Amino acid sequence: KSDKLIKEVEIFIYDLLGHKVATLESGSNYTAGLYQTSTWDCRDDDGDKLANGTYIYVIVATDANDQESTAKGKIAIIN
């Protein structure tokens, strides 16, 4: 376990054309190495339900020294 402080975490959802459709999380003061969870209702930033399909998630974590770490992956919505 690390005691490194993660100053901010942001999670973004993009469609396959690269348009940002949702911002899921914007939080602060997490400890690196500890798992956090976030839930999402499959709605875009305007509150509209997203269509079935594949989307890209991007997680950006910024530490106390303003160094960013990024993780990316795919997520599928099937209603």
Side-chain angles (χ1 to χ4, degrees):
K1 180 185 140 192
S2 169
D3 331 344
K4 189 174 186 180
L5 179 66
I6 302 299
K7 185 170 72 173
E8 183 176 28
V9 175
E10 297 174 296
I11 303 172
F12 304 104
I13 305 294
Y14 295 87
D15 63 20
L16 292 179
L17 297 175
H19 302 114
K20 184 173 72 166
V21 296
T23 303
L24 301 185
E25 180 87 15
S26 187
S28 59
N29 298 323
Y30 298 107
T31 301
L34 296 179
Y35 290 97
Q36 303 292 328
T37 60
S38 184
T39 57
W40 177 42
D41 60 4
C42 299
R43 295 183 184 277
D44 65 17
D45 285 338
D46 293 327
D48 299 322
K49 202 138 179 84
L50 290 174
N52 288 347
T54 303
Y55 295 83
I56 306 296
Y57 67 84
V58 178
I59 302 169
V60 180
T62 306
D63 69 17
N65 296 319
D66 289 328
Q67 301 235 344
E68 286 187 355
S69 297
T70 302
K72 299 175 184 178
K74 292 180 182 176
I75 189 169
I77 295 177
I78 303 169
N79 291 313

